[in-house]
Amino acid sequence: MINVQFAALSERWATYQPLLQKAFKDADLSVDLRQDHAPDTVDYVVYAPNSDLQDFTHHTRCKAVLSLWAGVEAIVGNDTLTMPLCRMVDPGLTAGMVEWVVGHTLRYHLELDRCLAMQNGEWAPLVPPLAQSRPVTILGLGALGQACAQALHALGFPVTGWSRSEKAIENIHCLHGQEGLKQALSTAQIVILLLPDTPATENTLNAQTLAALPKGARIINPGRGPLIDDQALLDALNQGHVAHATLDVFRIEPLPKDHPYWAHPNVTVTPHIAAETRPKTACDVIAENIRRGEHGEPFLNLVDRNAGY
Ligand code: NDP
Ligand code: OXD
């Protein structure tokens, strides 16, 4: 019997328990799934960083911690978490992110705000260019960045992507390194941030890099708040250098009520809803990783603790 501890907000248990049981059965795994196993009997932890479990010292036989979240910045530095840590790459979450990113990109591309503001009887045709003349840059070419890049490419947008390591991805102009970042930003009419929050990605968009954007660029951030220097973005918005920003994630969440983003006419705030983990598909991913663990196969989506993602 494999002992699996479910350590997430307790209100999530009712949703996850039957789906995990089914996924374990489908994967032919004999699992005792509970919220309250004795720590030293646990084989795997299904984990959300906002759960009560923060000290893994007594999880002495645990073979892996399986995160339900894609972003692991809140756990990666936990010194008691010495076992392998896997982040979530969930087809349902990815599909949600693609829809959210494409939707907000099309809002900018089609000038939907101007269309909505023109419902005053004035017949003023506003013809948007084709997507092929609207270069888009995606910072981060991982599971989510690549899926969004391919979806935007399929709509006709020329897509440039930027990552830590050098890549060759069909249909995408791939760049890396600091020079690559400047180049990636220099052509971007719309920039999408899908980087993890690590010491190396903090303030990726700052006064200097924002200045590399063409005037009037738009920014979409479903990655993490610390990727952007907030004051530098507000300055760029106030100077008109950046035309608009859609921000889903913030250094402090919920975004404090007095934060200037709320009142800014050229900022749209969404409350960290770009893409949720979808329990059904996520449970299949968890079961597959436990199956791998039990068969001595490499885990999927293993976090590189040094890189922080
Ligand atoms: P991945 O780990 O698959 O991809 C991360 C990408 O960022 C990789 O391409 C990586 O480069 C690149 N990267 C990392 N560090 C650097 C760096 N220093 N310089 C340049 N590129 C870098 O993550 P996902 O695509 O699955 O998710 C991305 C982020 O999206 C998550 O970490 C999370 O913060 C956020 N997220 C937000 C959600 C929301 O609802 N708002 C939902 C889910 C996720 P390389 O390929 O070379 O390793
Ligand atoms: C995640 C998120 O990291 O929802 O999964 O932001």
Side-chain angles (χ1 to χ4, degrees):
M1 187 65 79
I2 306 160
N3 288 339
V4 175
Q5 178 182 3
F6 181 79
L9 289 182
S10 53
E11 58 259 36
R12 307 299 287 149
W13 175 243
T15 302
Y16 273 95
Q17 195 232 6
L19 293 172
L20 281 169
Q21 298 285 19
K22 175 166 188 321
F24 294 146
K25 189 160 175 266
D26 292 349
D28 208 15
L29 295 167
S30 272
V31 170
D32 183 3
L33 172 68
R34 299 189 206 178
Q35 292 176 282
D36 62 353
H37 281 296
D40 59 352
T41 65
V42 171
D43 294 302
Y44 298 91
V45 179
V46 177
Y47 189 63
N50 56 0
S51 84
D52 291 339
L53 176 57
Q54 299 296 330
D55 183 354
F56 293 85
T57 313
H58 302 293
H59 283 67
T60 44
R61 84 172 204 201
C62 180
K63 296 173 208 166
V65 171
L66 309 170
S67 174
L68 290 168
W69 293 15
V72 290
E73 70 281 355
I75 0 170
V76 80
N78 183 333
D79 291 338
T80 68
L81 204 165
T82 51
M83 56 293 279
L85 169 64
C86 300
R87 52 185 218 92
M88 180 50 69
V89 177
D90 160 30
L93 183 153
T94 303
M97 184 63 85
V98 168
E99 290 177 16
W100 190 89
V101 164
V102 168
H104 285 278
T105 302
L106 288 177
R107 170 190 174 190
Y108 285 148
H109 171 59
L110 298 174
E111 306 287 358
L112 291 184
D113 292 17
R114 282 174 67 189
C115 295
L116 293 171
M118 275 178 15
Q119 302 301 303
N120 56 359
E122 190 191 351
W123 187 262
L126 179 69
V127 182
L130 288 176
Q132 66 190 25
S133 38
R134 181 89 69 193
V136 172
T137 286
I138 303 189
L139 305 183
L141 284 173
L144 299 176
Q146 285 199 37
C148 292
Q150 295 299 356
L152 292 170
H153 164 78
L155 288 171
F157 292 98
V159 181
T160 296
W162 182 69
S163 55
R164 188 163 68 109
S165 57
E166 191 172 354
K167 290 195 193 306
I169 303 171
E170 208 179 349
N171 307 320
I172 312 302
H173 179 212
C174 294
L175 295 167
H176 68 285
Q178 282 314 302
E179 261 316 298
L181 176 60
K182 266 206 205 134
Q183 207 185 321
L185 294 176
S186 68
T187 57
Q189 291 188 21
I190 300 172
V191 182
I192 299 154
L193 288 96
L194 278 167
L195 295 163
D197 174 9
T198 71
T201 61
E202 180 161 16
N203 294 333
T204 296
L205 289 190
N206 54 38
Q208 212 186 358
T209 51
L210 287 166
L213 288 167
K215 187 171 163 54
R218 276 80 165 248
I219 291 168
I220 301 176
N221 184 16
R224 282 294 186 260
L227 301 176
I228 298 181
D229 175 336
D230 292 321
Q231 191 53 54
L233 176 57
L234 286 163
D235 291 347
L237 285 160
N238 292 336
Q239 289 151 11
H241 184 65
V242 170
H244 201 279
T246 296
L247 308 173
D248 183 57
V249 282
F250 305 91
R251 284 169 195 265
I252 300 175
E253 295 182 7
L255 183 65
K257 286 207 182 336
D258 60 351
H259 196 286
Y261 282 148
W262 282 116
H264 202 290
N266 295 334
V267 173
T268 297
V269 169
T270 61
H272 200 144
I273 43 76
E276 262 206 352
T277 299
R278 306 292 158 153
K280 163 120 192 30
T281 41
C283 288
D284 292 341
V285 175
I286 298 279
E288 169 59 10
N289 248 346
I290 293 179
R291 190 201 65 74
R292 285 171 170 254
E294 293 306 291
H295 287 81
E297 296 172 23
F299 288 117
L300 298 171
N301 317 318
L302 198 59
V303 172
D304 174 340
R305 307 297 282 273
N306 291 323
Y309 69 100

